[in-house]
Amino acid sequence: MKLSEIADFLSLDYKGEDLEIKALNSLLRANFMELTYCDGEKNIKDIANTGAGAILIAKEYEHLVPKHTKVLISSNAHLHFAFLSKIFANSLISDVKEKKQQIAKSAKIMPNVYLGNNILIGENVIIMAGAYIGDNVEIGDDTIIHPNVVIYNDTKIGKKCHLLANCVIGSDGFGYAHNKNGEHYKIYHNGNVILEDFVEIGACTTIDRAVFDSTVIKKGTKIDNLVQVGHNCHIGENCIIVAQSGISGSSELGRNVIMGGQSATSGHLKIGNFATIAARGGVSKNLDGGKVYGGFPIMLQKDWLKLQAKIALKFKEK
Amino acid sequence: MKLSEIADFLSLDYKGEDLEIKALNSLLRANFMELTYCDGEKNIKDIANTGAGAILIAKEYEHLVPKHTKVLISSNAHLHFAFLSKIFANSLISDVKEKKQQIAKSAKIMPNVYLGNNILIGENVIIMAGAYIGDNVEIGDDTIIHPNVVIYNDTKIGKKCHLLANCVIGSDGFGYAHNKNGEHYKIYHNGNVILEDFVEIGACTTIDRAVFDSTVIKKGTKIDNLVQVGHNCHIGENCIIVAQSGISGSSELGRNVIMGGQSATSGHLKIGNFATIAARGGVSKNLDGGKVYGGFPIMLQKDWLKLQAKIALKFKEK
Amino acid sequence: MKLSEIADFLSLDYKGEDLEIKALNSLLRANFMELTYCDGEKNIKDIANTGAGAILIAKEYEHLVPKHTKVLISSNAHLHFAFLSKIFANSLISDVKEKKQQIAKSAKIMPNVYLGNNILIGENVIIMAGAYIGDNVEIGDDTIIHPNVVIYNDTKIGKKCHLLANCVIGSDGFGYAHNKNGEHYKIYHNGNVILEDFVEIGACTTIDRAVFDSTVIKKGTKIDNLVQVGHNCHIGENCIIVAQSGISGSSELGRNVIMGGQSATSGHLKIGNFATIAARGGVSKNLDGGKVYGGFPIMLQKDWLKLQAKIALKFKEK
C-alpha cells in the first residue's frame, strides 16, 4: 500500500515523496519499507533510532524523527495505527485450493482435526481429536497436541512439547486504541507465538500472540492450567508458572523463575533469573533475580510473612 | 402444565381455580400465564407488584400476594422452583428432522462446525472449525467465531464481534437451591446471552446465560481471556474487562468501566460509568462512576496506595 | 520390566535378586510387584510401612526400608522416578483395530465426537458435539457431556452429572522432578479422575488426574467455571466451588465445604466439613469445619472484616 494511499485512508495530509509500505512494525524494528507509530512519552527516546520508512506521530514530536523516515502527522497515532492494523492483518483463513502440508509419516493425526496451509509437522507428532492447526504452523518432533487445542496461524512449536487439552496458543492480544468518545478499536496482531523445545502448556491456558515480533516461551518452561500469558511476553528457560497465574503484556521473566498459583505481573516489567513469586504475589515493578517475593504490593516473601504476623498481633492487642 | 399438576408434582396443596402455566419467571417479569417464586426477605417488597399467574411462597408472606396471583404455599420455595426449572427447561438439542437455518451466502463455515436449528447467520460471518452453534442462535454481519467456541442455544450476537478460541457463551449460571440435608438442586437457566455489536470475547472466557431474561454485554465492550461473567450481569457500552477478572451474577457495570486483571465483583451490585477498578480490586459494594478504585476491601486506588505505604512504613519502624 | 533393567535404564547399581516390576506406586499403596520412591523428609515415616517390591531411595534412608523391599540407591529419587513414569505411562491413544464400546441405545451421541476404546456409556447419556471421550472412560446414566468437553482416559463419571462446555477432566497434573541444572522432568500421571453422581463441572474448568490413585469429586458437588482442581485432591460431598477458585494438589475438602470466588488452597491440606471460605480467601493451613474463613493469610472471616476496618481507621487518623 502506498504511503499516499494510507494518508488518504486515514484522512491525513501527506505531501512528500511516495513510498510502498509493506507492513507495520514497532519503532525499533521497522525497516525502510515499514510504517511505525509513536503514541507518546514512553517511546520518545526511540524515535531517533527508528529505521522505519514512515511514522505516524503527533506534531509536537515531528522534530525528533530522523531524516530517512517520512512523517504522517496524527493527533491520535495509536488510533490511526489501529485502523491500519486491520488493513495489514494477515487473513485468518487461507483460501488456497491445495494446501501445502509437510507432515512426517510417523506423525499421527486423529479425527476431526483441522490442518491449515503451509504447515510443517515433525516426526512422531501426535495431534489429538478436535485440535485446530492454523496456517504456517510448525510443530517439532515428538510434540503432542492434545484434544481441542487451538493453535493459531504462524505459531512455531519446538520438539517434545505437551500442549494440554483446550489450551489456546496465538490468539490476538488484548490491545485497543481509543477515540474521543471512549470507543475502542482493535489492534490486529501480526506477530506470533514461539514455544521452544520441552515446553508444556496446561489445559485451558491462553498464550497471546505478539503485536509484532513474538511472544516467546523458552526451552523447558512448564505452564500449568488456566494461566494467561499476554502479548509480547518473553518467558525464560525452565520457568514454572503455576495455575491461574497471569503475566501481563511485554513482561520478561528470566530463567528458572517460579510464579506461584494465582500470582500475576503488570505489563512491561522484568523479573530476574531464579526469582520465585509466592502464590498470589502481585508483581508491579522490576524484581532482582535469586530472591523469593510475595504479597501485593510485592515485597520479599519473608517480609510479607513478618508484616502479616505484625499486623495480626498489633490489631489483636486493641 | 396445569397449576394443579404442578402442585401434585411438588406434593403441595392447591385447591383454588386451575390455570395453565406456560413458563417460570421472576417476580417482576412474570405474566398471568407464568409462575414465579419468592424465597425470602430480599424480594418481599416486589410481591405486591407481581403480575404472575401463580407464586410459590412461604405461608408467612401469603398475605402480601396480590389477588390476581394464585398461591402455592411452600416451606422451601427456592427448592420447589429448582424442581420446576428442570421441567420447564428448554431442551439442549432439538429433534427436528430438517433444521431451519438461514445462513448468508457470503458466510464461511469451516469444517467440523455444529450448527443447530432455527439459526440466523449474517453476511460475511466466519465460523471457524470445531465451533458449536446451538439452536435459535443469531449472529450478526461480519462477526467471527473462532475455533472450538461454544455458543449455547438462544444466544444473540451482534455485528462485527470477535469471539476468540474456546470461549463459552450461554452456559447455565451457577445457581442451586438446597434441601435440609445440604444437597444442591440445579436451577435450569432459561434466559440467554446477548452480545451487542463490536463486542470481543477472549479465549477461554465464559459468559453465563441468565436464569430468566438476558445476560447482556453492550456495544463495544472488550473482554480479555479467562474472564468469568455470571448470570444476569449487565455490562455497559465500551467497557474493558482484563484477563482473569470475575463478575458475579446480576452485577451491573455502567459504560466505559475498566476492570483490571484478576479483579472481581460480588453479585448484585452496581458500578457507575467511567469507573476504573485497578488490577486485583475486589468490589463488594456499589461504586460511583468516574473514579479509580483498588484493593480488597475496595477503596479509592490512591487511598489503597497510601495505605499500603503507611503499613509498610509503620511496621518497618519496629 | 525387570528391576535389573530399570537399574540399567537409570544407570544405577543393583546386584540383588531380580524382580518383575508391573507398575509404579506411592509408598503406602505399592504392592510387591510395584516400585515406589521416597524423596525426602516428609515421607520418611512411611518407609517402614511400604509393601513395595522395590524402592528408589537415598543412601541415607536405606536402613529404614523393610526387608521385603529391594533397594535402588539414588541420589535423586524423584528425578529417577520421573524418568520411569514416562516408561510406565499409559498410552494416550489405543491402537486397537476394533474398539470395544458399550453404549446404551438410549444414549445420544452428537456429530464430531471422539469415542475411545473400552468405554461404557449409560442410559440417556448425551454427548454433545466436539466432545472427546478417551479410553476406558465410564459415564453413568443421564449424564450430559456438553460441547468440546475433553475427558481423558480412565475417567469414571457417575450418574446425572453435567459437564459444561470446554471443561477438561483428567489432564496430567502439574508435577515435575528437577535435575541439578534446574531442568524439569515431567511426572507422567497414571492415576485418574472419579466424578461421583450429581456432580456438575463448569465451563473451562480443569480437573487434573492423580499421579497414582484418583482425584475424587464426591456426590453432589458443584463446581463453577474456570476452576482448577489439582492432582490427587479429594473434594467431599455437596461442596460448592465458585468460579476461578484453585485447589492445589492433594488437598482434601470435607462435605458441604463452600469455596468463594477466586479463593484458593495450598497443596496437601485439609478443610473440615461445612467450612466456608469467603471469596478471595487463601487457605494455607488445615482448617476446622463449621466456620467461615476469609483473607490471606486465612483467618476467621469476622476477624478479617474487623481487621480491615481497624487498619482503615488506624491509618486514616494520621
Side-chain angles (χ1 to χ4, degrees), chain B residues 55-77:
Chain B
I55 187 169
L56 278 161
I57 196 165
K59 183 73 185 163
E60 62 193 293
Y61 303 128
E62 185 182 12
H63 65 283
L64 299 171
V65 179
K67 289 200 174 161
H68 56 262
T69 303
K70 299 180 196 315
V71 173
L72 290 185
I73 298 297
S74 162
S75 57
N76 191 339

Side-chain angles (χ1 to χ4, degrees), chain A residues 86 92-95 111-114 130-132 147-150 152 165-168 171-174 176 178 181-186 188 204-208 226-229 244-247 262-264 280-283 295-297 299 307 310-311 314-315, chain B residues 108 110-112 126-130 144 146-148 160 162-167 198 200-204 219-226 237-244 255-258 262 274 279-281 295 304-305 308-309 311-312 314-318:
Chain A
K86 185 172 182 182
L92 267 172
I93 314 171
S94 61
D95 271 331
N112 302 329
V113 165
Y114 176 85
Y132 180 96
N148 290 348
V149 165
V150 174
Y152 278 92
N166 288 15
C167 72
V168 175
S171 43
D172 264 19
F174 196 62
Y176 298 90
H178 321 289
N181 300 322
E183 294 164 338
H184 314 297
Y185 289 84
K186 182 178 178 67
Y188 285 78
C204 294
T205 277
T206 59
I207 316 276
D208 285 347
L226 293 165
V227 169
Q228 155 73 0
V229 178
Q244 296 177 322
S245 294
I247 303 179
Q262 297 188 343
S263 66
R280 290 271 177 90
V283 182
F296 179 59
M299 57 190 81
L307 179 60
K310 281 179 182 171
I311 288 175
K314 168 77 182 169
F315 290 103
Chain B
K108 182 179 286 181
M110 287 177 72
N112 303 329
I126 301 174
I127 302 184
M128 295 177 73
I144 305 179
H146 286 241
N148 291 349
K160 296 181 190 294
H162 294 256
L163 277 68
L164 271 59
N166 288 16
C167 72
F198 302 102
E200 301 189 18
I201 306 291
C204 295
K219 192 174 160 183
T221 281
K222 315 297 185 185
I223 300 183
D224 202 351
N225 300 341
L226 293 165
E237 292 186 13
N238 301 320
C239 290
I240 292 280
I241 316 286
V242 182
Q244 298 177 321
R255 64 167 291 192
N256 285 86
V257 170
I258 299 174
Q262 298 187 344
F274 296 95
R280 288 272 176 90
W304 184 78
L305 290 169
Q308 297 304 319
I311 288 173
K314 169 77 181 169
F315 290 102
K316 211 169 188 177
E317 287 164 8
K318 299 195 172 181

Side-chain angles (χ1 to χ4, degrees), chain A residues 4-246:
Chain A
S4 58
E5 294 168 328
I6 287 175
D8 278 356
F9 171 73
L10 299 174
S11 302
L12 297 176
D13 284 330
Y14 180 70
K15 287 174 187 157
E17 200 183 339
D18 216 348
L19 181 69
E20 183 68 23
I21 297 293
K22 299 283 190 193
L24 308 181
N25 214 333
S26 61
L27 268 172
L28 293 183
R29 295 177 49 87
N31 68 29
F32 70 99
M33 294 186 300
E34 295 176 330
L35 180 140
T36 190
Y37 77 106
C38 178
D39 65 340
E41 301 292 328
K42 96 185 147 183
N43 298 315
I44 288 178
K45 63 182 190 310
D46 293 334
I47 298 175
N49 301 315
T50 191
I55 188 168
L56 278 162
I57 197 165
K59 183 73 184 163
E60 61 193 293
Y61 303 128
E62 185 181 12
H63 65 284
L64 299 171
V65 179
K67 289 200 175 162
H68 57 262
T69 303
K70 300 182 194 315
V71 173
L72 290 185
I73 299 296
S74 162
S75 57
N76 190 341
H78 197 215
L79 182 63
H80 282 143
F81 169 74
F83 293 163
L84 289 181
S85 76
K86 185 172 182 182
I87 307 294
F88 282 92
N90 295 328
S91 134
L92 267 172
I93 314 171
S94 61
D95 271 331
V96 297
K97 287 214 175 120
E98 287 191 29
K99 290 180 185 169
K100 189 179 143 200
Q101 296 176 331
Q102 194 174 329
I103 302 174
K105 278 191 182 163
S106 58
K108 183 179 284 181
I109 314 289
M110 287 176 74
N112 302 329
V113 165
Y114 176 85
L115 298 175
N117 183 40
N118 194 35
I119 60 173
L120 189 60
I121 310 289
E123 297 291 341
N124 306 310
V125 165
I126 301 174
I127 303 184
M128 295 177 74
Y132 180 96
I133 312 295
D135 295 343
N136 315 312
V137 168
E138 294 177 20
I139 302 179
D141 298 347
D142 304 307
T143 282
I144 305 179
I145 309 295
H146 286 240
N148 290 348
V149 165
V150 174
I151 301 176
Y152 278 92
N153 294 347
D154 312 316
T155 302
K156 309 301 175 203
I157 301 176
K159 298 176 182 177
K160 296 182 190 293
C161 294
H162 294 256
L163 277 68
L164 271 59
N166 288 15
C167 72
V168 175
I169 313 297
S171 43
D172 264 19
F174 196 62
Y176 298 90
H178 321 289
N179 69 10
K180 287 178 187 166
N181 300 322
E183 294 164 338
H184 314 297
Y185 289 84
K186 182 178 178 67
I187 310 286
Y188 285 78
H189 285 51
N190 271 325
N192 74 343
V193 174
I194 297 174
L195 309 181
E196 295 187 354
D197 300 343
F198 301 102
V199 164
E200 301 189 17
I201 305 290
C204 294
T205 277
T206 59
I207 316 276
D208 285 347
R209 78 197 295 116
V211 182
F212 317 112
D213 200 9
S214 300
T215 302
V216 181
I217 315 289
K218 300 194 87 168
K219 192 174 160 182
T221 281
K222 315 296 185 185
I223 300 184
D224 201 352
N225 300 341
L226 293 165
V227 169
Q228 155 73 0
V229 178
H231 51 183
N232 293 79
C233 284
H234 280 233
I235 314 283
E237 292 187 12
N238 301 319
C239 291
I240 292 280
I241 316 286
V242 182
Q244 296 177 322
S245 294

Side-chain angles (χ1 to χ4, degrees), chain B residues 33-283:
Chain B
M33 292 185 301
E34 295 176 330
L35 180 141
T36 191
Y37 76 108
C38 177
D39 66 340
E41 301 291 329
K42 98 185 145 181
N43 298 316
I44 288 178
K45 62 181 189 313
D46 293 334
I47 299 176
N49 301 316
T50 191
I55 187 169
L56 278 161
I57 196 165
K59 183 73 185 163
E60 62 193 293
Y61 303 128
E62 185 182 12
H63 65 283
L64 299 171
V65 179
K67 289 200 174 161
H68 56 262
T69 303
K70 299 180 196 315
V71 173
L72 290 185
I73 298 297
S74 162
S75 57
N76 191 339
H78 197 216
L79 183 63
H80 282 143
F81 170 74
F83 293 164
L84 290 182
S85 77
K86 184 171 183 185
I87 306 293
F88 282 92
N90 295 328
S91 136
L92 267 171
I93 314 170
S94 61
D95 271 332
V96 295
K97 288 214 175 120
E98 288 191 29
K99 289 179 184 170
K100 189 178 142 199
Q101 296 177 330
Q102 195 174 330
I103 302 173
K105 279 190 183 164
S106 58
K108 182 179 286 181
I109 314 289
M110 287 177 72
N112 303 329
V113 165
Y114 176 86
L115 297 176
N117 183 41
N118 194 35
I119 60 172
L120 190 61
I121 310 290
E123 297 292 340
N124 305 311
V125 166
I126 301 174
I127 302 184
M128 295 177 73
Y132 180 95
I133 312 295
D135 295 342
N136 316 311
V137 167
E138 294 177 19
I139 302 178
D141 298 347
D142 304 306
T143 282
I144 305 179
I145 309 295
H146 286 241
N148 291 349
V149 165
V150 174
I151 301 177
Y152 278 94
N153 294 345
D154 312 316
T155 301
K156 309 300 174 202
I157 301 176
K159 298 176 183 176
K160 296 181 190 294
C161 294
H162 294 256
L163 277 68
L164 271 59
N166 288 16
C167 72
V168 175
I169 313 296
S171 43
D172 264 18
F174 196 61
Y176 298 90
H178 321 290
N179 69 11
K180 286 178 187 167
N181 299 321
E183 294 164 337
H184 314 296
Y185 288 85
K186 184 179 177 65
I187 309 286
Y188 286 77
H189 285 52
N190 271 324
N192 73 343
V193 174
I194 296 173
L195 308 181
E196 294 188 355
D197 299 344
F198 302 102
V199 164
E200 301 189 18
I201 306 291
C204 295
T205 276
T206 57
I207 316 276
D208 285 347
R209 76 197 297 118
V211 183
F212 316 112
D213 199 7
S214 300
T215 302
V216 181
I217 315 288
K218 299 193 86 167
K219 192 174 160 183
T221 281
K222 315 297 185 185
I223 300 183
D224 202 351
N225 300 341
L226 293 165
V227 169
Q228 154 73 1
V229 177
H231 50 185
N232 293 78
C233 284
H234 280 233
I235 314 281
E237 292 186 13
N238 301 320
C239 290
I240 292 280
I241 316 286
V242 182
Q244 298 177 321
S245 294
I247 304 181
S248 297
S250 301
S251 283
E252 293 183 30
L253 276 58
R255 64 167 291 192
N256 285 86
V257 170
I258 299 174
M259 302 274 306
Q262 298 187 344
S263 66
T265 75
S266 304
H268 296 273
L269 55 75
K270 294 185 188 191
I271 300 179
N273 298 336
F274 296 95
T276 291
I277 313 300
R280 288 272 176 90
V283 183

